[in-house]
Amino acid sequence: QVQLVESGGGLAQAGGSLRLSCAASGRTFSSYGMGWFRQAPGEEREFVAVITRSGALRRYADSVKGRFTISRDNAKNTVYLQMSSLKPEDTAVYYCAAEVSGVLTTTPNNYDYWGQGTQVTVSS
């Protein structure tokens, strides 16, 4: 079993920045593809960003492209989401997720493990 713990959420003003972290347990973190998703009340869970196990390949939702950056530090078993130029529509609970095959996928159902989420609120 893999445990994922998100942190770094909070309140930001529009145009501001936050960096989310996701700390993973286990010895095989470097084998996982890691994704960030978000979910606002009444909305479906939405893909945000994904990074392959090596960190060489990344993909972003169109809504965050150019503003968010996903990265990982396999030595620290941690994946990050640097968020800049925040918009009120970025307000959501943000979840990190692990995909054990280490592939690049944007589909929530393809992910095997999920964190509990961290709230991000962006005020206008």
Side-chain angles (χ1 to χ4, degrees):
Q1 183 175 341
V2 175
Q3 293 183 326
L4 306 172
V5 181
E6 302 95 337
S7 62
L11 179 65
Q13 291 184 302
S17 299
L18 287 172
R19 188 175 76 160
L20 306 183
S21 298
C22 176
S25 67
R27 302 176 182 177
T28 57
F29 174 79
S30 62
S31 297
Y32 307 154
M34 296 295 298
W36 285 97
F37 296 79
R38 65 188 183 187
Q39 189 167 21
E43 302 290 332
E44 295 182 6
R45 189 161 297 188
E46 176 188 29
F47 165 75
V48 176
V50 63
I51 187 168
T52 50
R53 57 188 179 184
S54 70
L57 299 176
R58 307 173 189 185
R59 184 174 294 168
Y60 300 92
D62 288 342
S63 59
V64 307
K65 193 174 299 181
R67 300 188 297 118
F68 291 9
T69 301
I70 188 171
S71 62
R72 67 191 298 162
D73 186 339
N74 288 345
K76 297 181 178 179
N77 278 20
T78 303
V79 63
Y80 305 95
L81 185 69
Q82 177 66 50
M83 305 184 294
S84 61
S85 301
L86 284 164
K87 303 175 180 179
E89 51 262 45
D90 295 320
T91 296
V93 176
Y94 283 70
Y95 300 89
C96 69
E99 197 283 311
V100 299
S101 296
V103 301
L104 197 73
T105 177
T106 65
T107 304
N109 288 344
N110 288 341
Y111 285 79
D112 302 288
Y113 302 100
W114 293 84
Q116 294 298 307
T118 185
Q119 177 71 48
V120 171
T121 302
V122 183
S123 62
S124 61

